Amino acid sequence: MTPLALLAKAEQAISSLEDVLVDLVAEFAARDLPLYLVGGSVRDALLGRLGNDLDFTTPARPEVLTEILSSWAGTVWDTGIDFGTVSAQHRGQQIEITTFRSDTYDGQSRNPEVVFGDTLEGDLVRRDFRINAMAVELLLDDTGSLTARFHDPVGGLEDLVHRRLDTPDTPEISFRDDPLRMLRAARFVSHLGFGVAGRVQQAMVDMAEEINRITVERIQQELNKLMEGTEPWTGLDLLVSAGIAAHIFPEIPAMRDMQDEHRQHKDVYAHSMQVLRQAMDQEEDGPDLVLRWAALLHDCGKPQTRAFNEDGRVTFHHHEVVGAKLVRRRLRTLKYSKQMVADISQLVYLHMRFYGFGEGQWTDSAVRRYVTDAGPLLPRLHKLVRADSTTRNQRKAARLQRTYDHLEERIADIAAREDLARVRPDLDGNEIMQILNLPPGPQIGQAWTFLKELRLERGPLEREEAIGELKKWWAEKGE
């Protein structure tokens, strides 16, 4: 798309906000202060995807911003005021205005010494990438209507036209100031489908170790944003090829060059990226981070379980068990929530269960255990297992999908007769204590586990039958 076409898109996006912004611009104009739409908001306006979060910059100091926004918006908050940022909510738009900055960095941490600036150019040149270093000055014409003036001191529009990520300053200086920008590059690649300039990629390779200056919390946030992109595999490829992934998530690059057990055209890494694509194709309500991470990492246990059988064929026995452990350890290191850790690792652990049964070999007991072990993750497990078929053999692919169709039919059939969502013993703990005349203790838990296993194996039992089986088990245990 040409620069003129992009500018036309931006002008259209900004004009659509006139009713929201014209009074705000008037407040600044009354104080003889300029106001600039800036950064990602300008980039998105040029791409025709401006959202409800608008970023602005101005020479006005934070106390002036608070005064202006308090008179203009119904809701104002100043949690970022120490960094020169005041935010507001008005007519469905979230507004964030930041005083010009000309920060300095110590080269040790990524936290700058906040210094307020006096020029727009000085504010823009300190930003991470040229495509985020453009601004649109909002003005009022003689009739009081909103107009705009475009500012592009570092060539961001040209980069946008060429779908390229480059830094305003040299990438070495930019990444030394804030190494998180290397992860942001991968995130923008994932979301925008852009490539990185050659000098940016080389700097990422040369400075990969600098990522260790970043806290795991910030790394986690950026990785999640990357994974929520439209093409997360492109951002992951950038991190892997630059050597950054080896520092923050080594289990991902470890899958490269790992031939799968069938010695087919794809190595484990390429296969995992394809599974990620196919899992995303099944998403229904936007990005599903749990599903995406599980798809990417489902085979991460293969490098540690690689072996060769007597015929010289490579095997990865129990890689799902090893993989689940690796996932739990890595996600805990990155301080993911307990629920995320549990869900992703359980999907990795269960993804091979389906392959243990052939077509028509699923007993009622096996179906119950599959559903019970998956629990609320069952819909995601369905998607993951279906996505895990990347064979080029059309007959084999059709057979696998047909077999899984059959399994889902079996699940639906049994669920129609039993409450598969809550498979519990036919007797509860109080009943067990009363029947066996036992006080609370570990024996009650053992009895409950026995009845749970019996329920999974045989389905729901009549009360008298369950009592009889419990008494029989207890008598045998006593002997």
Side-chain angles (χ1 to χ4, degrees):
M1 189 170 290
T2 66
L4 287 177
L6 291 175
L7 289 170
K9 277 191 174 184
E11 185 176 327
Q12 183 179 7
I14 293 168
S15 65
S16 70
L17 296 172
E18 179 163 2
D19 291 344
V20 178
L21 297 179
V22 67
D23 292 340
L24 178 63
V25 176
E27 291 280 353
F28 277 82
R31 294 167 173 81
D32 199 25
L33 290 168
L35 180 66
Y36 303 90
L37 189 70
V38 73
S41 294
V42 175
R43 178 199 71 220
D44 289 345
L46 289 163
L47 293 173
R49 49 191 286 178
L50 186 62
N52 293 324
D53 296 338
L54 304 178
D55 294 328
F56 296 88
T57 190
T58 178
R61 291 322 193 229
E63 60 273 14
V64 178
L65 298 181
T66 301
E67 176 189 334
I68 292 174
L69 289 177
S70 296
S71 66
W72 174 74
T75 304
V76 177
W77 57 97
D78 60 2
T79 52
I81 198 166
D82 290 342
F83 299 95
T85 299
V86 183
S87 305
Q89 184 86 21
H90 185 66
R91 294 188 183 179
Q93 290 285 338
Q94 183 168 313
I95 307 294
E96 186 172 281
I97 307 180
T98 301
T99 303
F100 286 166
R101 298 257 295 269
S102 57
D103 302 337
T104 58
Y105 293 82
D106 60 12
Q108 300 302 314
S109 71
R110 65 172 296 269
N111 299 317
E113 178 185 349
V114 176
V115 179
F116 295 141
D118 297 310
T119 67
L120 175 66
E121 287 74 15
D123 181 89
L124 294 178
V125 76
R126 71 177 181 85
R127 294 175 180 262
D128 54 3
F129 298 103
R130 292 175 182 174
I131 62 169
N132 296 329
M134 297 176 283
V136 174
E137 185 176 3
L138 300 180
L139 304 162
L140 298 179
D141 63 18
D142 294 338
T143 67
S145 297
L146 193 66
T147 63
R149 182 182 299 151
F150 184 61
H151 295 261
D152 182 20
V154 297
L157 184 61
E158 182 181 357
D159 279 359
L160 209 63
V161 168
H162 291 94
R163 303 176 65 80
R164 175 179 62 218
L165 283 176
D166 205 347
T167 52
D169 211 329
T170 66
E172 289 79 9
I173 292 176
S174 182
F175 296 157
R176 188 169 294 110
D177 283 347
D178 185 359
L180 189 68
R181 289 170 174 170
M182 295 189 289
L183 289 186
R184 286 171 61 82
R187 189 231 297 184
F188 289 131
V189 166
S190 168
H191 280 260
L192 301 176
F194 285 16
V196 296
R199 67 172 191 160
V200 170
Q201 178 144 7
Q202 187 59 51
M204 291 175 69
V205 171
D206 295 340
M207 303 178 68
E209 289 188 4
E210 293 289 313
I211 202 65
N212 294 314
R213 289 164 45 196
I214 305 301
T215 65
V216 293
E217 292 88 350
R218 293 307 303 271
I219 289 173
Q220 181 216 120
Q221 292 171 11
E222 282 299 324
L223 286 176
N224 283 342
K225 290 175 182 177
L226 183 160
M227 289 295 286
E228 289 174 337
T230 54
E231 297 180 359
W233 49 89
T234 58
L236 291 166
D237 279 340
L238 177 59
L239 294 181
V240 169
S241 62
I244 295 171
H247 291 278
I248 61 176
F249 215 128
E251 293 78 10
I252 297 174
M255 292 187 288
R256 283 198 304 181
D257 303 320
M258 286 293 300
Q259 189 178 53
D260 67 19
E261 61 267 39
H262 307 297
R263 300 195 177 199
Q264 293 176 334
H265 60 290
K266 293 178 180 175
D267 62 21
V268 174
Y269 177 82
H271 163 76
S272 298
M273 293 301 175
Q274 182 63 25
V275 173
L276 172 59
R277 291 185 186 90
Q278 294 177 176
M280 288 171 56
D281 289 341
Q282 300 176 71
E283 290 175 332
E284 300 163 27
D285 299 308
D288 183 341
L289 269 178
V290 170
L291 177 63
R292 291 187 180 195
W293 274 118
L296 174 65
L297 300 171
H298 73 286
D299 278 346
C300 72
K302 283 189 171 182
Q304 290 193 16
T305 57
R306 184 178 185 177
F308 293 89
N309 62 21
E310 295 178 353
D311 298 329
R313 292 173 62 84
V314 66
T315 63
F316 303 101
H317 293 310
H318 304 301
H319 71 272
E320 71 278 13
V321 178
V322 173
K325 291 179 180 178
L326 292 174
V327 167
R328 282 194 295 271
R329 185 176 65 190
R330 180 57 53 194
L331 296 185
R332 285 169 181 162
T333 298
L334 291 170
K335 297 190 177 180
Y336 277 81
S337 69
K338 290 183 179 179
Q339 192 64 57
M340 284 278 285
V341 173
D343 288 350
I344 296 169
S345 62
Q346 183 70 350
L347 285 170
V348 172
Y349 176 73
L350 292 174
H351 85 274
M352 289 296 293
R353 183 77 62 86
F354 163 73
Y355 296 97
F357 297 87
E359 191 169 0
Q361 295 179 359
W362 283 84
T363 64
D364 286 357
S365 174
V367 172
R368 291 188 196 100
R369 292 178 188 277
Y370 191 78
V371 173
T372 300
D373 289 347
L377 294 172
L378 185 63
R380 287 185 173 118
L381 183 59
H382 288 333
K383 294 173 183 176
L384 175 59
V385 174
R386 289 187 181 278
D388 195 20
S389 173
T390 61
T391 176
R392 287 183 174 179
N393 185 319
Q394 295 301 314
R395 284 189 176 183
K396 181 179 179 181
R399 184 173 69 252
L400 287 171
Q401 296 300 333
R402 185 173 63 247
T403 302
Y404 206 85
D405 288 342
H406 178 62
L407 171 59
E408 290 202 61
E409 291 169 3
R410 291 290 310 283
I411 292 172
D413 177 60
I414 296 175
R417 295 182 273 117
E418 307 173 15
D419 185 5
L420 280 181
R422 293 190 313 122
V423 175
R424 300 181 60 80
D426 297 288
L427 303 171
D428 62 27
N430 290 327
E431 291 173 309
I432 292 171
M433 286 189 287
Q434 183 179 10
I435 293 166
L436 298 182
N437 193 27
L438 290 173
Q443 292 172 320
I444 304 304
Q446 293 170 11
W448 191 93
T449 300
F450 162 74
L451 289 172
K452 173 70 175 294
E453 287 296 312
L454 190 66
R455 169 70 173 78
L456 288 169
E457 187 66 32
R458 292 166 51 177
L461 303 179
E462 297 292 337
R463 177 177 173 77
E464 291 305 318
E465 186 178 4
I467 291 173
E469 292 290 346
L470 175 63
K471 288 180 176 180
K472 179 181 176 183
W473 170 81
W474 181 243
E476 293 174 351
K477 183 176 176 61
E479 292 174 359

